[in-house]
């Protein structure tokens, strides 16, 4: 047997061994969950998933003028001057207001927060946790939703109220609510939060006093 025949036989043996392994492979071997993101079908399976989703809701407080950019709002007053006019505050403080110079951060960021809250609330029941824990989580997220709408109503008055996440583009096309209706919804959310959030010192999560403070501020604004 020459070297060529020997190599040929080795190749055949290796192929035969690999072929014998194929039937033993699981049919779902190639069915992988997304490796670069969380799969909705494999989420909400534990309280750890719930806390991860809650962290995502809180992260919305870092968008727009909820986070470090809130200092820029002082340029609306005599406290500061926006010499670069990054957000068109220079013209706004002169009373020049139109559809092209008002930053969309006042509108987009709160609604991104509302969308995160609605997604959380619409899916929470999937998690295998007690009803008592679900109520506390709901209270925390409904407090945040009230917070986002409180920001919107101060900037725009009456706005669109999304109490659940729209499933289609057409479902998102609903009529704008009045300013009074928005405030009524805010108080409804805060009352639920006050009744169900823990009455403890603040340690990073919303507590009963957090909701009471925003409710008092909402009354002052009204």
């Amino acid at each position: 047997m020459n070297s060529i025949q020997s190599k040929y036989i080795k190749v055949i043996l290796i192929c035969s061994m690999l072929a014998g392994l194929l039937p033993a492979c699981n049919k779902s071997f190639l069915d992988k969950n997304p490796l670069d993101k969380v799969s909705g079908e494999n989420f909400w399976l534990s309280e750890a998933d719930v806390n991860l989703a809650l962290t995502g809701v809180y992260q919305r407080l870092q968008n727009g003028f909820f986070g470090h950019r809130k200092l820029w709002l002082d340029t609306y007053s005599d406290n500061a001057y926006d010499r670069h006019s990054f957000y068109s505050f220079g013209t706004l403080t002169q009373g020049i207001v139109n559809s092209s110079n008002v930053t969309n951060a006042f509108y987009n960021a709160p609604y991104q927060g509302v969308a995160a809250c609605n997604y959380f609330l619409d899916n929470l029941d999937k998690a295998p946790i007690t009803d008592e824990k679900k109520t506390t989580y709901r209270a925390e997220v409904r407090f945040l939703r009230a917070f986002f709408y409180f920001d919107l109503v101060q900037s725009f008055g009456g706005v669109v109220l999304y109490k659940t996440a729209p499933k289609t583009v057409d479902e998102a096309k609903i009529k704008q609510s009045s300013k009074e209706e928005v405030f009524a919804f805010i108080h409804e959310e805060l009352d639920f939060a006050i009744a169900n959030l823990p009455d403890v010192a603040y340690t990073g999560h919303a507590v009963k006093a957090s909701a009471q403070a925003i409710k008092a501020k909402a009354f002052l604004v009204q």
Side-chain angles (χ1 to χ4, degrees), residues 131-194:
D131 289 340
E132 183 180 1
K133 286 185 176 181
K134 287 179 181 178
T135 298
T136 303
Y137 281 119
R138 283 195 183 92
E140 197 167 349
V141 174
R142 288 180 67 173
F143 160 77
L144 291 169
R145 185 163 63 176
F147 183 86
F148 290 126
Y149 271 117
F150 183 48
D151 197 79
L152 282 165
V153 76
Q154 290 179 86
S155 299
F156 302 100
V159 293
V160 176
L161 282 176
Y162 291 112
K163 300 181 181 181
T164 59
K167 294 180 176 59
T168 64
V169 173
D170 288 336
E171 282 188 18
K173 298 176 182 178
I174 59 177
K175 185 179 179 181
Q176 172 185 351
S177 296
S178 67
K179 180 178 180 179
E180 292 72 25
E181 289 171 330
V182 176
F183 269 115
F185 181 67
I186 289 170
H187 285 295
E188 178 185 332
E189 297 287 271
L190 292 174
D191 287 342
F192 181 87
I194 291 169

Side-chain angles (χ1 to χ4, degrees), residues 67-156:
H68 68 279
R69 292 180 181 176
K70 187 171 286 291
L71 294 174
W72 286 92
L73 298 181
D74 268 357
T75 61
Y76 273 146
S77 69
D78 295 334
N79 295 335
Y81 173 68
D82 178 16
R83 65 193 180 101
H84 299 293
S85 196
F86 286 134
Y87 301 103
S88 299
F89 288 152
T91 52
L92 290 174
T93 51
Q94 296 176 50
I96 304 171
V97 182
N98 55 55
S99 59
S100 63
N101 72 347
V102 176
T103 173
N104 58 15
F106 286 118
Y107 194 81
N108 292 350
Y111 268 119
Q112 289 168 354
V114 169
C117 290
N118 287 341
Y119 178 78
F120 183 99
L121 294 169
D122 289 352
N123 288 278
L124 179 60
D125 280 333
K126 298 176 182 178
I129 58 177
T130 65
D131 289 340
E132 183 180 1
K133 286 185 176 181
K134 287 179 181 178
T135 298
T136 303
Y137 281 119
R138 283 195 183 92
E140 197 167 349
V141 174
R142 288 180 67 173
F143 160 77
L144 291 169
R145 185 163 63 176
F147 183 86
F148 290 126
Y149 271 117
F150 183 48
D151 197 79
L152 282 165
V153 76
Q154 290 179 86
S155 299
F156 302 100

Side-chain angles (χ1 to χ4, degrees), residues 31-62:
D31 294 335
K32 298 291 186 182
N33 292 322
L35 301 179
D36 61 340
K37 64 186 71 173
V38 176
S39 172
E41 295 179 358
N42 295 282
F43 199 68
W44 305 102
L45 301 180
S46 66
E47 188 167 7
D49 287 349
V50 175
N51 280 308
L52 185 60
L54 182 62
T55 299
V57 178
Y58 271 104
Q59 193 277 333
R60 295 297 178 181
L61 294 175
Q62 300 300 317

